[in-house]
Amino acid sequence: MFFSSKRVFLAVLILAVLGVGVFVGLRILAPAPAPEDLAEVAESGPKRTVIGTSVQGREIEAYTYGNGETHLAFIGGIHGGYEWNTVLLAYTFMDYLDANPEFIPEDLTITVIPSANPDGVYKVVQKEGRFTVANVPATELTVPGRFNAHGVDLNRNFDCKWKPEGVWRGNAVSAGTAPFSEPEARAIRNFALTHRPDAVVSWHSQANTVYASFCEGNILPATLAIMNAYAKAAGYVAQKTFDAYA
């Protein structure tokens, strides 16, 4: 589905106002397995679902706002406590939507997965659930929280050109024993395959850039439209590819 720039701009304007880090559009391509159960646990306000659990048993939550035909999803914290600011961004975004439900166009549904690596977050902040900046230690102490409890870099555990190891800061990092070997990656995959969002944005930190995402072939026109609209609203640079690490 191709989005009009006006509709995309409305969706991302909220995020630009809130102040964002780096955004990477994520497109998940995988054969559809039998999805894990999605446990609905609330009926008022945003629809809260538990889309999976982490290695250590922490819930991976999704909050859905609106009921429109076009479905946008936003993911924070895939690098856990190392990118704790993306989790705080997700919660700030959710607070804004809670306080301003009229901002969501009638033809739009928004899902926020605020913390895709809750074990990594806990390893750094030592607090269950929501936290504040005061809970976060000095920068270098956040590095161990980048990985899940198996020591896997979840951003490398998806099946696009998967290989057992990746490189980060010049060092080899584990990508798991197979594509989607980790429960956190499976939770995101199954959410995507069950709900088929039209677009997914994954929040990262530091680069002040909006990157498009693709696996094989060319970048989709709709992906470029979202990248450009998001960059314009946020005041960031738009860049088609990310090649800062192997």
Side-chain angles (χ1 to χ4, degrees):
M1 179 175 184
F2 189 83
F3 302 99
S4 70
S5 59
K6 180 177 180 182
R7 180 183 299 175
V8 173
F9 190 83
L10 277 172
V12 302
L13 181 60
I14 313 170
L15 307 171
V17 170
L18 293 174
V20 290
V22 173
F23 317 97
V24 180
L26 172 66
R27 183 172 172 80
I28 301 175
L29 301 174
E36 296 174 0
D37 291 338
L38 302 176
E40 186 173 337
V41 293
E43 296 181 356
S44 60
K47 180 182 178 182
R48 175 182 177 268
T49 58
V50 176
I51 64 170
T53 55
S54 67
V55 172
Q56 295 178 339
R58 293 183 173 89
E59 293 180 345
I60 300 171
E61 302 169 309
Y63 295 82
T64 299
Y65 301 79
N67 193 34
E69 179 181 356
T70 299
H71 189 179
L72 305 182
F74 299 86
I75 301 173
I78 198 165
H79 281 150
Y82 179 69
E83 292 185 345
W84 55 267
N85 56 335
T86 66
V87 181
L88 291 185
L89 169 63
Y91 283 125
T92 303
F93 183 29
M94 289 164 53
D95 289 344
Y96 185 91
L97 296 180
D98 287 336
N100 301 275
E102 72 284 353
F103 198 90
I104 303 174
E106 292 183 359
D107 61 352
L108 192 66
T109 296
I110 294 175
T111 295
V112 183
I113 300 172
S115 187
N117 180 7
D119 294 347
V121 172
Y122 183 81
K123 190 167 188 175
V124 169
V125 305
Q126 293 292 296
K127 188 176 186 295
E128 301 287 358
R130 294 188 70 154
F131 61 94
T132 68
V133 174
N135 300 116
V136 182
T139 303
E140 285 305 310
L141 295 179
T142 66
V143 170
R146 177 185 175 92
F147 310 100
N148 77 346
H150 285 157
V152 173
D153 187 326
L154 294 173
N155 212 35
R156 320 297 176 81
N157 193 231
F158 295 90
D159 68 345
C160 178
K161 301 178 182 178
W162 179 86
K163 53 187 178 181
E165 289 186 345
V167 177
W168 179 64
R169 290 187 171 183
N171 299 312
V173 294
S174 173
T177 58
F180 303 113
S181 63
E182 305 309 299
E184 298 91 348
R186 290 197 300 271
I188 295 172
R189 176 198 64 186
N190 292 346
F191 170 84
L193 292 174
T194 300
H195 297 281
R196 298 288 179 179
D198 296 283
V200 180
V201 174
S202 179
W203 287 315
H204 291 265
S205 305
Q206 299 180 342
N208 298 327
T209 304
V210 184
Y211 296 95
S213 178
F214 69 101
C215 185
E216 304 287 352
N218 298 320
I219 303 172
L220 295 175
T223 299
L224 293 175
I226 295 170
M227 175 191 72
N228 289 325
Y230 207 143
K232 181 178 179 180
Y236 283 175
V237 175
Q239 187 165 319
K240 292 181 180 180
T241 59
F242 181 73
D243 56 4
Y245 56 67

